[in-house]
Amino acid sequence: MTTTETVAGITLHRSKGEGTLLVLLHGIGSNAESWAPLMAVLPPALDVIAWDAPGYGTSAPVAPESPTPSDYAAALLRVLDALGHARVRLMGHSLGSLFAGRFAALHPDRVERLALLSPALGYGVTAGPLPANVQSRIDDLTALGPQDFAARRAARLVFDAENRPKVVEGVRRSMAAVNPPGYAQAVHALGAGDLLADAPRLTMPTLVATGLEDVVTPPDNARRLHAALPNPLRLAELPAAGHAMPQEFPREMAAILAETLLA
């Protein structure tokens, strides 16, 4: 059973067990709902939390208009402190990997194990305008509105989308629910982030996973990140998986996590 609670201004979707706390951070065009297929097949004893990131759903936004991943890491720290958890297993998907990596680099004592799925590496732009391909995300959402934005983009996240309509619909539904101001802040954080620069500081055992058909964050992103880690776990490459890997193959992902992140 999944419940919803608000902690330190952040909405959390929780499947509460008595075991290890696993924290899940979603991607840029998504929300906590994107983790539902995976949460449904994880061991019921786990205590699992998926956040609606700051500025998503009913979660309070971060303060800066143009934030960096450190601002989202600070929000996560406030949540964990309020919950009273000193150490967690942490997993991010896409932009969530950028946030998870930043948190783990800043607070390595708080992360027992780390998983970075379909990792967005960031662009390392801390001053000046965003790269055109990054700024276009904000411009497209502004021009189209969330519903049409999601309708145009959702299928690109799913490999063999025509034969996976339920997965595409789940991706579309989450994307259509984005709040434009919160999304714009997240885009700025994507532009400012640099996961490869953080990688040498990720001293905890770290899993990296990618879909071999991912055209959003290609497999080479994951390979470069895995090679830069000081304490890598498995580099998991899922054939026939696109960017929405946890939604496309939740049981396969759960099995990989059982052998690595949750071992």
Side-chain angles (χ1 to χ4, degrees):
M1 177 181 176
T2 302
T3 60
T4 302
E5 58 187 293
T6 300
V7 176
I10 302 299
T11 303
L12 306 176
H13 300 254
R14 190 168 194 173
S15 177
K16 188 168 177 56
E18 299 302 323
T20 298
L21 179 63
L22 173 62
V23 178
L24 309 176
L25 310 183
H26 63 78
I28 193 167
S30 195
N31 56 27
E33 182 188 355
S34 66
W35 292 110
L38 179 61
M39 291 174 71
V41 295
L42 289 173
L46 279 177
D47 190 1
V48 185
I49 288 174
W51 79 351
D52 283 331
Y56 286 70
T58 57
S59 292
V62 291
E65 185 176 343
S66 299
T68 73
S70 294
D71 295 298
Y72 294 84
L76 180 57
L77 181 63
R78 290 191 292 271
V79 169
L80 297 182
D81 284 349
L83 290 171
H85 283 277
R87 285 171 62 81
V88 301
R89 310 283 174 104
L90 180 61
M91 180 159 65
H93 176 250
S94 193
L95 182 68
S97 290
L98 195 63
F99 294 166
R102 189 63 182 150
F103 179 86
L106 292 172
H107 308 287
D109 57 316
R110 305 296 293 267
V111 181
E112 189 174 354
R113 292 193 172 211
L114 178 66
L116 306 171
L117 313 184
S118 311
L121 301 181
Y123 293 83
V125 178
T126 56
L130 292 169
N133 62 321
V134 181
Q135 178 64 43
S136 68
R137 291 173 174 265
I138 299 173
D139 297 340
D140 289 350
L141 179 60
T142 301
L144 297 170
Q147 292 292 335
D148 286 348
F149 180 80
R152 292 194 184 193
R153 285 183 174 251
R156 187 167 179 262
L157 276 63
V158 181
F159 178 64
D160 195 18
E162 291 185 359
N163 292 313
R164 295 172 175 170
K166 290 183 179 179
V167 178
V168 174
E169 174 55 22
V171 171
R172 187 209 63 77
R173 188 170 57 246
S174 293
M175 194 177 293
V178 298
N179 298 325
Y183 182 85
Q185 286 185 305
V187 171
H188 280 279
L190 172 64
D194 191 342
L195 186 51
L196 289 177
D198 280 337
R201 300 171 63 185
L202 304 179
T203 54
M204 65 292 300
T206 301
L207 165 72
V208 180
T210 183
L212 288 178
E213 303 296 337
D214 188 344
V215 298
V216 179
T217 55
D220 277 351
N221 281 20
R223 293 166 186 152
R224 291 168 64 200
L225 176 60
H226 189 263
L229 294 170
N231 192 6
L233 292 169
R234 176 180 172 186
L235 171 60
E237 299 183 340
L238 275 69
H243 187 67
M245 182 173 53
Q247 292 158 277
E248 293 171 287
F249 291 102
R251 292 188 181 278
E252 290 80 355
M253 278 308 311
I256 291 168
L257 296 175
E259 297 172 357
T260 54
L261 187 70
L262 304 176

